[in-house]
Amino acid sequence: MFEKILIANRGEIALRIHRACREMGIHTVAVHSTADAEAMHVRLADESVCIGPPSARDSYLNIPAIVSAAMITGADAIHPGYGFLSENQNFASIVEEHGITFIGPSAEHIRVMGDKVAAKAEMVRLGVPVVPGSDGPVASVAEARTTAADVGYPVLIKASGGGGGKGMKVARDESELEDAFTFARTEAKAAFGNDEVYIEKFLDKPRHIEVQVLGDGKGAAVHLGERDCSLQRSHQKLLEEAPSPALNASAREAIGKVASDATAELNYQSAGTMEFLYEDGAFYFIEMNTRLQVEHPVTEMISGIDLVREQIRIADGAALGMTQSDVKLEGHAIECRINAEDPTTFRPSPGRVTEYHPPGGLGVRVDSGLYSGYVVPPNYDSLVAKLIVHGTNRNECLMRLRRALEEFVIGGIDTTISLHGQIISDQSFINGDYDIKWLESFVGVDR
Ligand code: MV4
């Protein structure tokens, strides 16, 4: 087993990875920018290395600095967390070339899944249902017209290099197609340096359902159920839950089986997430994320499986060590992402935390690097805490979550705690009746 792991990330996820390492008897190396010298992940790690100035480009995205830090400290593996370099195939390759294990999938799997057209083609090959659309990239307006007519309007033009909503444009009918095509291409070029686009049937009000998978890279794989991530605003998720209130037992089994079979067929190694859109009882693959996700704790809460520990074991060459029938999903879990933001305008609210009292009690988990006196720097993502609550069923989970949100005190900065209280008191949310458009109209009205 690894003796020392370098954690190439910051904030709550660096802490989360450190905790798994500690329990496994593995030493940790934190890396940090000058803005994060006082961060909790730096304080808890066995060693720390400053890798650059506040700008992420010069620190958490600085490949030579991070690989050097691993060499100097003698780390035998690097965990990238989420964001930053976690889905950078170049980083994964360089790490491995230096004789250090990258805790995640192969650089080749990162590359294929990062190319949305290639990922979709791979899933078609494996028999995974995908959104009807072009077979591969669409190179001209003329080709776009033919494809869109075949698929039927409305259509969505998407960037091959995309994900996260950039380089995406709807065409409601043929009159909108040329402008939409040109817009998507231009935005894709600017955002990803790649103007390749493809076309899909536009689903109007789907739910965003993702399936957590684990593979050992040797053909064994399991799924750990789904998460419903439909509650998002501007492609930023606010709250996630597992299981999805929208799926019945047979849909759940079907989507899980499709995901675990594909993971096994790919010889995929590590944790991954297959994202689907779910509408009118049918599900369609859209993308695969080759990293540990922000919302992984909801899956941990219903499965009892430590996903970071599994990633580390698998990266060390261990077999999966579980079959699908060993995976027992119990109860219901909800995660609230607590951001240092104004809960009405969503403007970032960095600054000094004057009071910090996280909630506790049965079924309550808080992943956060906050402490009283900590200064939230303005340079990074505004996520400062995740409140994850488990109950024997959705109703118990909601009651417990309401109580935990009431207990949670973060003073000195604005946070989205109060917004979560409003969301979970709304009757549509309580009924589980929401889709990817719901939150935008919820936060848009009455404020
Ligand atoms: C879609 C879609 C509707 N139809 N594809 C947004 C980001 C990218 N990951 C995929 N996205 C979407 N793809 C088709 N064919 C709607 C979205 C979408 C969305 C998806 C999941 C969660 C939130 C979303 C918010 C807006 C649009």
Side-chain angles (χ1 to χ4, degrees), residues 48-65:
S48 63
V49 180
C50 181
I51 49 165
S55 161
R57 168 175 289 282
D58 300 319
S59 51
Y60 299 103
L61 293 169
N62 185 340
I63 296 177

Side-chain angles (χ1 to χ4, degrees), residues 131 156 158 163-165 168 200-203 206 208 229 232 235 275 277 286-287 436:
V131 188
L156 188 57
K158 291 185 168 182
M168 244 176 52
E200 282 185 352
K201 176 93 186 164
F202 176 64
L203 305 180
H208 181 209
C229 302
Q232 56 77 45
H235 302 290
E275 293 191 358
L277 296 179
I286 49 168
E287 291 169 22
I436 62 168

Side-chain angles (χ1 to χ4, degrees), residues 140-200:
S140 67
V141 182
E143 194 186 334
R145 273 212 187 82
T146 324
T147 307
D150 280 356
V151 169
Y153 287 91
V155 297
L156 188 57
I157 327 270
K158 291 185 168 182
S160 301
K166 275 214 184 93
M168 244 176 52
K169 194 73 185 166
V170 181
R172 302 253 159 219
D173 53 47
E174 194 176 343
S175 76
E176 295 183 357
L177 189 69
E178 183 162 354
D179 282 357
F181 182 80
T182 309
F183 175 93
R185 280 215 122 159
T186 309
E187 199 176 79
K189 182 81 190 168
F192 317 112
N194 171 8
D195 67 358
E196 188 176 279
V197 297
Y198 61 109
I199 292 183
E200 282 185 352

